[in-house]
Amino acid sequence: ATGLLVLCGILFIYDASFVRASQTVYMKFDPEFFLKRQIVWALIGTAALIVSLYVPYWKLRHVAVAAMAVTVALLVLVMVLGHESHGSRRWFVVGPIRVQPSEIAKFTLVLFLAQWLTANQKRLRRLKEGFAPIACLLGGLGVLIAVEPDLGTALVVVGTGVMMLFIGGARGKHLAGLFAGGLVGVGGLIWLEPYRWDRILDWLNPERDVQGTGYQVVHSLIALGSGGPIGVGLGQGRQKYFYLPAEHTDYILGTIGEELGFLGTMGLLALFFYVAVRGFTIAHRTKDPFGSLVASGLTSMIALQTILNVGVVTNTLPATGVPLPFISYGGSSLILTMVAMGLLANISQYPNGNPEEARSDKERDESVSDRGWDRRARVSGHRYR
């Protein structure tokens, strides 16, 4: 499924971008400009997937805290030293390489929360000692990403964190309070930036400003509606001819819907659904708490990002910049998503966790069975704490 999604991404990035690339000076009028770059990112991502598949996942516990600290530092630095494009300062640019710290934040947050929740499950149930500090961390990350500005990625990061807290056993009333605080925070961010309020109004009535703020939403709906049940044919779409903005990035699903129609779009979404089901199945079958939480977090991240992107393109949700995993153009997103898939496959190979620890637990259990009189041995060891 991962391979099919990556190949579909390469195909549709070329299909959606060749018109723009062939008529833009920056891209040297090369219709394959985006195609070549995405193939390079896919090859790097494949290598990263293979590495993440064979490096024992439980060793990531030792670097989770340091990775989170480095990520926070990068999110602060990018606002000062980052490259500015279209009013946003989200990237570090070194030659042809663009690194987006907010994409890294999705990944490192999953590792950090999995490590923290594994070590502090009882503390999580207490507000001041456990839940509140983690809630503040999520809020801080969300604010740092939102002021870039990148509200869509901020929602994905915070939403993934909330899902992991729920799975990790946080109290319902604490999560409800966090959700209420999040709504207030999002409302404040919308109030501070008038263009975000315009997006809310365009969501409620896309035709209120067809040539202005509602232009992108309207043309996304035109693309999807033009596709009908089976589409106009691969490569035959018209919206990519400078009608639909971001046709190869955030709104690439509009191009797919126009050319492959409803059936083709649902086939693509079925692959995402399969990945989500397999990811949560791996999490459920993994006995190691850290591995289970990592699998849950990575799957939640991909599923939530997919839901937000599809919701925006179909105008089910207000417009916000969230790429479609595997499919939208972009190196940071693709590579880290493929690393996530490698880790999921890695975790699936060890349903009992670290084989060395599992072996020592088995030997301890056998020793206990031989010494039935020693009740203390039955409640010792990390498995029973």
Side-chain angles (χ1 to χ4, degrees), residues 224 250-258 265 268-269 309-310 313 324:
L224 293 172
D250 296 347
Y251 278 81
I252 193 170
L253 189 66
T255 302
I256 296 172
E258 182 182 16
T265 304
L268 181 69
L269 295 182
N309 180 272
V310 174
V313 173
L324 185 61

Side-chain angles (χ1 to χ4, degrees), residues 18 25 97 266 340:
F18 77 87
V25 176
I97 300 175
M266 292 305 296

